[in-house]
Amino acid sequence: MRYWLLLLLVFGLCYTCEAEYKAVDGDSLVHGEERIRLQGIDAPELYQTCFDENASEYDCGKKSLSYLQDLIKGNKVYCKCLKKRDRYKRKLCECFVSTLSLNREMVASGHAISYKNKKLAELENEAREHKYGIWRGKFMRPAIFRALERANNPQNKRKSQ
């Protein structure tokens, strides 16, 4: 009997102290000390701006982050990760809330673009056709935005690593 009580106590404590998933930008999460990159997508950088259908500038990087935060808020997140990591030592994962793939939803909603992923490229094309999210106006692809930032500020290291 004591064994079972001890076992329940240990598992109960471990469950309550488990770290929550937190979105840090439109394609990255943290889980405790672990950094996670949503595999197959690239979202606008946190301080990147875009232009809407009326050519008005808006903070598309912050909007992308906000959308991902809303998807995970109050929900249990789980991730399926590859064994390899990216060059910044982040886990490469597909993450879910229930059966909803966060990776797929970010692209389908127009809050991210596909990155070397044919299945997600199809969702990107649909988002573009329907003018969802960043596709409703003009934007710079995040990889180009990062390259220009590095070229213009070579002394600054990339903040979103």
Side-chain angles (χ1 to χ4, degrees):
M1 182 69 170
R2 281 190 221 173
Y3 173 75
W4 288 108
L5 288 174
L6 182 60
L7 192 61
L8 286 173
L9 180 63
V10 169
F11 280 114
L13 289 175
C14 290
Y15 180 77
T16 58
C17 53
E18 183 177 307
E20 298 276 332
Y21 283 85
K22 179 181 175 193
V24 292
D25 63 26
D27 54 24
S28 302
L29 303 172
V30 292
H31 182 244
E33 296 294 317
E34 192 71 59
R35 296 180 312 148
I36 296 169
R37 171 65 189 244
L38 297 179
Q39 181 192 13
I41 76 171
D42 197 10
E45 291 299 306
L46 192 56
Y47 296 103
Q48 185 173 344
T49 59
C50 299
F51 296 91
D52 66 16
E53 64 275 13
N54 299 315
S56 297
E57 192 171 17
Y58 71 100
D59 295 323
C60 56
K62 289 179 182 172
K63 191 160 185 92
S64 178
L65 168 62
S66 178
Y67 191 79
L68 183 56
Q69 287 172 328
D70 288 345
L71 290 173
I72 66 175
K73 187 177 185 177
N75 293 305
K76 186 170 183 166
V77 175
Y78 72 96
C79 298
K80 294 180 183 177
C81 303
L82 300 176
K83 289 182 182 177
K84 71 177 188 171
R85 293 175 180 252
D86 72 4
R87 65 181 178 178
Y88 302 110
K89 298 186 175 39
R90 296 176 294 191
K91 282 185 172 181
L92 296 169
C93 307
E94 181 173 11
C95 296
F96 299 85
V97 167
S98 186
T99 60
L100 177 71
S101 166
L102 298 176
N103 307 47
R104 293 176 59 81
E105 178 59 24
M106 290 300 290
V107 174
S109 65
H111 289 92
I113 60 172
S114 65
Y115 178 75
K116 298 180 181 180
N117 187 303
K118 289 181 183 178
K119 289 181 181 178
L120 293 178
E122 293 173 17
L123 291 175
E124 179 183 310
N125 288 335
E126 289 177 28
R128 182 185 303 119
E129 286 175 20
H130 291 93
K131 298 186 185 307
Y132 294 146
I134 56 178
W135 296 107
R136 64 187 176 144
K138 296 189 186 278
F139 70 97
M140 184 179 296
R141 292 197 167 262
I144 295 170
F145 180 83
R146 288 189 297 273
L148 289 173
E149 285 291 303
R150 282 191 300 272
N152 291 331
N153 301 308
Q155 72 279 5
N156 294 338
K157 289 186 178 178
R158 193 169 150 232
K159 294 179 181 179
S160 62
Q161 293 181 6

